[in-house]
């Protein structure tokens, strides 16, 4: 027998027992289930489920039920009450519902905590009682020892005096020696009795210590059992969470299947039409001939009627559902729609490749223009000014300024030999090396300062982006986004996440292309490639999400 079957049988036995007790006192006409439900403060349908074993009545409802039976001539004795509560606990323990079993486990944990608290309290009381008994026994023993010593001291004095006296005096004291010896024997016997009582007290103390150890072991076992029960509770919670997630997934799948079956249902309804009897008349619909066929047709392909005014439309009748249905097409032309979508994807991929080729070619030209000064020859010192050559112009640092946050923007103000005063954004090394009055060597290419050298430290000036370079970066970004959407997208229609991923890919790739136009060193190029690959991974997650 499975666990679920056992839980249902126990719940049924609990409900049938309650029903039998109720029927035993339901003789008068006024004792009905409706009156019982009112006395239990629950609905009549809930009471019916309790009595049928579909649900487990809680403890508060059971107590009210027992009180109701007592008020109507059917009081329960202690054995019957205990039996009802035992049936309820067994039904809760074997229930197939995680919430009921979790509540049962929590009650067990609370009872264990109460037992542990009681054991701790009893242990503390036993320890206090043992300590009090030990102190009382020690005080009593000390008091008896002192009293015995006080009684023995005079006898010892008399005995010593008698020994010191002459024989005649000893003979006179002979009659007094017997009582003294008797008292001494009694004192020794009392001392022996006190010693035995002390041994008994010590044995009692040892027994109490052993009892405390046993209680401590029980306490540790109860604590370990409590931890095990809490682990079971956590596993039940995890299982309930998994079941909730599975239920949500099933609900989404049912909604998707309902949306996809909207058009197949209509086609099947129209497909019920048999061959036309007369070509001049329309096709005649043939309804199912048997009740079984009618029931099967009604349960499998029920047509969704339009909702009343004021209610929301189902997903398949909303604007988005109609657009998706038009995109998917009917079952007859589904294959044609798939071919049309494949052609559209091929055209999109061709357009993306063309945009990438054109953008890459233009980016290569822009990159060559931005870095051409590195390979250009120096200009002649005499003759007319040449365009495609590198000239050097001297200047003087007149000021330096640091603005912004972390890292700050570092600027140098340089006075050119031609008399022009300009401000340049530089790196940290040349900013630290420059001082007001320092000589600066300016590398000029096509009228633009491409590098500044101060005190042996050189800083390269990045090229300013113009509209042609920006258009090239935008073209590369759009081509990348379109190609990623076409290759990575698995579902048939667009979604919000795929649109966000495509826009992100366009902006990210355009930004990376614009930043890399003036890059000249291999580490910088590798860093830019890593920067772009990170954005590509994020884009793949957004676009390819199912």
């Amino acid at each position: 027998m499975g666990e679920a079957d056992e839980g249902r049988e126990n719940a049924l036995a609990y409900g049938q027992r309650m029903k039998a007790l109720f029927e035993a006192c339901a003789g008068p006409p006024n004792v009905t289930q409706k009156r019982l439900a009112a006395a239990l403060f629950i609905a009549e349908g809930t009471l019916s489920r309790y009595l049928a074993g579909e649900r487990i009545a809680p403890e508060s409802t059971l107590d009210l039920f027992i009180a109701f039976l007592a008020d109507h001539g059917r009081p329960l004795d202690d054995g019957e009450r205990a039996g009802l509560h035992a049936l309820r606990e067994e039904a809760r323990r074997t229930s197939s519902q995680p919430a009921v079993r979790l509540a049962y486990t929590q009650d067990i944990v609370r009872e264990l905590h109460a037992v542990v608290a009681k054991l701790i309290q009893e242990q503390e009381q036993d320890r206090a009682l043992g300590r009090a008994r030990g102190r009382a026994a020690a005080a009593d023993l000390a008091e008896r020892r002192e009293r015995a010593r006080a009684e023995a001291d005079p006898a010892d004095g008399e005995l010593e005096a008698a020994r010191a006296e002459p024989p005649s005096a000893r003979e006179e004291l002979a009659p007094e020696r017997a009582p003294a010896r008797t008292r001494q024997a009694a004192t020794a016997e009392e001392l022996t009795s006190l010693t035995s009582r002390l041994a008994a007290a010590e044995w009692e103390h040892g027994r109490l210590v052993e009892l405390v150890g046993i209680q401590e072991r029980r306490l540790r076992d109860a604590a370990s059992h409590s931890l095990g029960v809490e682990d079971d509770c956590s596993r039940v919670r995890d299982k309930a969470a998994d079941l909730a997630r599975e239920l949500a997934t099933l609900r989404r799948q049912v909604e998707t299947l309902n949306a996809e079956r909207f058009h197949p249902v209509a086609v099947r309804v129209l497909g019920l039409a048999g061959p036309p009897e007369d070509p001049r008349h329309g096709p005649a619909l043939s309804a199912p001939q048997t009740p079984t066929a009618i029931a099967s047709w009604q349960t499998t392909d029920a047509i969704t009627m339009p909702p009343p005014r004021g209610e929301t439309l189902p997903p398949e009748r909303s604007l988005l559902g109609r657009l998706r249905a038009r995109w998917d097409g009917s079952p007859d032309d589904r294959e044609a729609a798939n071919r049309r979508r494949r052609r559209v994807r091929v055209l999109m991929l061709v357009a993306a490749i063309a945009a990438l080729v054109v953008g890459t070619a233009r980016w290569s030209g822009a990159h060559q223009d931005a870095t051409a000064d590195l390979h250009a020859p120096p200009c002649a010192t005499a003759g007319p000014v040449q365009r495609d050559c590198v000239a050097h112009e001297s200047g003087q640092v007149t000021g330096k300024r640091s603005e912004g946050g972390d890292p700050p923007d570092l600027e140098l103000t340089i006075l050119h030999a031609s008399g022009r005063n300009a401000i340049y954004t530089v790196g940290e090394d040349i900013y630290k090396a420059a001082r007001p009055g320092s000589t600066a060597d300016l590398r000029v290419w096509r009228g633009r300062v491409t590098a500044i050298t101060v005190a042996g430290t050189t800083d390269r000036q990045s090229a300013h982006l113009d509209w042609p370079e920006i258009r090239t970066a935008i073209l590369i970004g759009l081509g990348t986004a379109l190609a990623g959407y076409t290759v990575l997208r698995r579902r048939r229609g667009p979604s919000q996440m795929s649109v966000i991923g495509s826009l992100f890919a366009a902006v990210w790739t355009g930004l990376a292309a614009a930043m890399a136009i003036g890059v000249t060193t291999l580490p910088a190029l590798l860093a830019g490639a890593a920067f772009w690959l990170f954005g590509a991974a994020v884009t793949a997650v957004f676009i390819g999400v199912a």
Side-chain angles (χ1 to χ4, degrees):
M1 180 184 296
E3 185 178 354
D5 296 336
E6 183 181 0
R8 284 193 294 270
E9 289 187 0
N10 291 331
L12 181 60
Y14 175 49
Q16 288 179 349
R17 179 58 180 164
M18 291 181 63
K19 185 176 181 180
L21 292 174
F22 170 70
E23 290 177 351
C25 70
N30 57 349
V31 183
T32 60
Q33 286 193 10
K34 184 175 182 180
R35 185 169 182 179
L36 176 60
L40 300 182
F41 302 102
I42 59 177
E44 190 173 356
T46 305
L47 176 61
S48 300
R49 287 191 288 271
Y50 286 161
L51 298 181
E54 297 177 2
R55 294 178 60 182
I56 301 173
E59 185 177 4
S60 58
T61 304
L62 181 59
D63 293 338
L64 293 175
F65 177 74
I66 295 173
F68 179 84
L69 295 179
D71 295 338
H72 291 80
R74 183 62 174 87
L76 304 181
D77 55 14
D78 295 338
E80 291 177 332
R81 292 181 182 179
L84 269 177
H85 283 284
L87 287 175
R88 173 180 171 274
E89 293 299 323
E90 186 65 18
R92 292 178 65 203
R93 185 184 67 81
T94 59
S95 176
S96 59
Q97 299 179 3
V100 176
R101 297 185 68 177
L102 179 61
Y104 173 78
T105 308
Q106 289 177 347
D107 293 342
I108 295 297
V109 170
R110 283 194 291 270
E111 292 178 1
L112 288 175
H113 282 308
V115 171
V116 169
K118 185 177 179 180
L119 287 175
I120 293 175
Q121 185 178 3
E122 292 178 356
Q123 181 182 5
E124 293 295 333
Q125 291 177 356
D126 291 341
R127 286 179 179 177
L129 182 61
R131 288 194 293 268
R133 288 180 178 177
R135 287 194 296 269
D140 189 15
L141 179 62
E143 182 179 357
R144 289 179 178 273
R145 284 180 177 177
E146 293 296 332
R147 189 164 56 248
R149 288 175 182 174
E151 292 178 357
D153 288 341
D156 292 339
E158 292 177 0
L159 182 61
E160 293 294 333
R163 289 176 179 176
E165 290 179 356
S168 58
R170 292 180 181 177
E171 294 176 357
E172 294 177 357
L173 294 177
E176 297 180 0
R177 289 179 181 176
R181 290 176 179 175
T182 303
R183 287 195 301 270
Q184 186 176 5
T187 302
E189 183 179 359
E190 187 175 2
L191 182 60
T192 304
S193 175
L194 289 176
T195 304
S196 62
R197 289 186 61 184
L198 178 60
E202 291 178 351
W203 179 84
E204 181 70 17
H205 177 69
R207 190 183 67 83
L208 290 176
V209 170
E210 183 179 359
L211 181 60
V212 168
I214 294 173
Q215 290 180 350
E216 287 180 350
R217 286 194 298 272
R218 290 179 179 177
L219 180 61
R220 287 195 297 268
D221 295 339
S224 62
H225 183 68
S226 176
L227 292 177
V229 171
E230 290 180 356
D231 293 338
D232 294 338
C233 291
S234 63
R235 284 194 294 270
V236 170
R237 294 193 191 98
D238 296 340
K239 185 176 180 181
D242 294 338
L243 291 176
R245 286 193 293 270
E246 291 178 1
L247 180 60
T249 303
L250 291 176
R251 286 177 178 172
R252 289 195 298 270
Q253 292 177 357
V254 169
E255 293 175 358
T256 304
L257 290 175
N258 289 334
E260 292 181 353
R261 288 180 57 189
F262 177 74
H263 287 286
V265 168
V267 172
R268 184 168 179 178
V269 172
L270 295 177
L272 292 174
E277 298 179 358
D278 190 354
R280 294 173 296 177
H281 299 85
L285 295 177
S286 60
Q289 300 299 323
T290 62
T292 305
I294 293 173
S296 175
W297 177 75
Q298 289 177 350
T299 55
T300 56
D301 291 332
I303 301 175
T304 305
M305 299 300 292
R309 182 174 298 175
E311 296 185 7
T312 58
L313 291 173
E316 63 272 11
R317 300 298 301 276
S318 62
L319 177 60
L320 182 60
R322 291 197 300 271
L323 291 176
R324 182 176 180 180
R326 179 169 296 182
W327 174 264
D328 293 340
S330 62
D332 293 337
D333 59 352
R334 186 73 57 82
E335 184 63 29
N338 291 334
R339 289 195 298 269
R340 187 167 53 253
R341 281 193 293 271
R342 285 194 292 268
R343 287 195 293 268
V344 171
R345 289 171 67 90
V346 170
L347 292 177
M348 292 172 61
L349 185 59
V350 170
I353 293 174
L356 283 174
V357 170
V358 174
T360 304
R362 296 186 61 177
W363 181 88
S364 178
H367 183 267
Q368 290 179 0
D369 292 340
T371 59
D373 62 299
L374 298 176
H375 310 287
C379 294
T381 55
V385 178
Q386 301 179 14
R387 174 174 175 79
D388 295 333
C389 64
V390 178
H392 289 270
E393 184 180 354
S394 62
Q396 185 178 9
V397 178
T398 59
K400 52 191 300 186
R401 182 175 57 180
S402 174
E403 291 183 352
D406 188 16
D409 294 333
L410 306 177
E411 296 179 350
L412 291 181
T413 303
I414 298 177
L415 178 62
H416 289 238
S418 59
R420 182 170 63 93
N421 203 14
I423 299 176
Y424 300 95
T425 301
V426 297
E428 184 178 0
D429 295 338
I430 193 172
Y431 182 83
K432 292 180 178 179
R435 297 289 186 273
S438 300
T439 302
D441 179 64
L442 307 175
R443 182 185 177 94
V444 182
W445 164 256
R446 293 183 180 179
R448 181 176 65 88
V449 175
T450 60
I452 302 174
T453 303
V454 177
T457 305
T458 303
D459 181 81
R460 182 168 179 80
Q461 297 291 303
S462 59
H464 298 287
L465 292 178
D466 296 330
W467 176 238
E469 287 81 2
I470 296 176
R471 284 186 301 182
T472 300
I474 292 175
L475 186 61
I476 293 175
L478 291 178
T480 304
L482 189 58
Y485 179 84
T486 306
V487 174
L488 298 176
R489 191 64 189 155
R490 295 189 295 270
R491 296 175 62 178
R492 289 178 288 184
S495 65
Q496 183 180 3
M497 298 299 290
S498 62
V499 173
I500 293 175
S502 301
L503 294 177
F504 177 80
V507 174
W508 188 273
T509 306
L511 179 62
M515 292 173 58
I517 286 180
V519 173
T520 58
T521 61
L522 180 60
L525 286 173
L526 293 178
F531 177 78
W532 181 83
L533 286 175
F534 172 75
V538 175
T539 301
V541 172
F542 273 92
I543 295 179
V545 66

